[in-house]
């Protein structure tokens, strides 16, 4: 294997792992907030001040988290280059994309292994080569042509749903990683 390709592969793997850690942390924060009643839409929650009648209004955190302008979580749907180069995820569930288009997330009612298989087959059908199988429901893909050359896919169970995170690396016009 060419040294440059191997170096890029390891760099991309590290970027993917960093994104997964950040995503897992975000899921944990949202899950913690959900379990502790923070998503109350401004409703009052009884405080634990000892007398039992203190009421503390809670902010509508869900509206803040889902508002891409305030939270920086991007936009709904997949970018056109992702649809053209990878696949159209619109029928799989709710699709969100980071502001820079480098991360596409899908929340689906499909079971995680089924969502993983669907994503893998759609990528392979678009000419992607699967290059790593180290972990279950997680792998990388490479393609020698196009604006996107590397995709890292990670699928996880989230409550009664599953979530697929696709981390992308685009190339500039000179063929170097963007």
């Amino acid at each position: 294997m060419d040294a440059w390709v191997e170096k890029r592969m390891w760099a991309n793997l590290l970027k993917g792992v960093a994104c997964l850690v950040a995503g897992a942390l975000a899921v944990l924060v949202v899950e913690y907030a959900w379990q502790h009643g923070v998503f109350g839409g401004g409703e009052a929650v009884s405080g634990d001040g000892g007398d039992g009648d203190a009421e503390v209004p809670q902010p509508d955190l869900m509206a803040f988290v889902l508002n891409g302008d305030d939270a920086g979580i991007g936009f709904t749907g997949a970018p056109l280059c992702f649809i053209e180069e990878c696949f159209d995820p619109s029928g799989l569930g709710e699709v969100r994309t980071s502001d820079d288009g480098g991360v596409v997330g899908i929340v689906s009612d499909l079971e995680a292994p089924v969502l993983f298989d669907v994503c893998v087959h759609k990528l392979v059908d678009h000419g992607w080569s699967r290059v790593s199988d180290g972990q279950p429901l997680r792998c990388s893909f490479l393609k020698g042509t196009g604006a996107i050359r590397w995709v890292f896919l990670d699928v996880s169970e989230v409550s009664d749903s599953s979530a697929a995170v696709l981390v992308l690396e685009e190339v500039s016009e000179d063929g170097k990683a963007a």
Side-chain angles (χ1 to χ4, degrees), residues 22-39 61-62 64-66 71 73 158-159:
L25 181 60
V27 168
L28 289 174
V29 168
V30 170
E31 183 67 21
Y32 175 82
W34 189 272
Q35 289 178 354
H36 289 84
V38 176
F39 296 127
L61 185 59
M62 182 62 91
F64 175 76
V65 169
L66 293 179
I73 54 175
V158 181
S159 188

Side-chain angles (χ1 to χ4, degrees), residues 16-27:
V17 170
C19 288
L20 288 174
V21 169
L25 181 60
V27 168

Side-chain angles (χ1 to χ4, degrees), residues 58-142:
Q58 297 294 314
D60 190 350
L61 185 59
M62 182 62 91
F64 175 76
V65 169
L66 293 179
N67 184 343
D69 294 337
D70 293 335
I73 54 175
F75 55 92
T76 302
L80 183 59
C81 71
F82 179 84
I83 293 170
E84 291 173 349
E85 302 260 344
C86 299
F87 63 91
D88 183 358
S90 61
L92 297 176
E94 182 181 346
V95 180
R96 302 286 289 183
T97 301
S98 65
D99 287 335
D100 65 358
V103 179
V104 175
I106 305 166
V107 177
S108 176
D109 291 333
L110 297 172
E111 293 181 4
V114 174
L115 180 59
F116 178 79
D117 288 342
V118 168
C119 290
V120 167
H121 286 106
K122 286 180 177 276
L123 286 164
V124 169
D125 288 348
H126 274 81
W128 289 89
S129 298
R130 190 172 174 178
V131 293
S132 65
D133 292 318
Q135 299 289 325
L137 305 180
R138 184 179 299 163
C139 62
S140 293
F141 295 85
L142 290 175

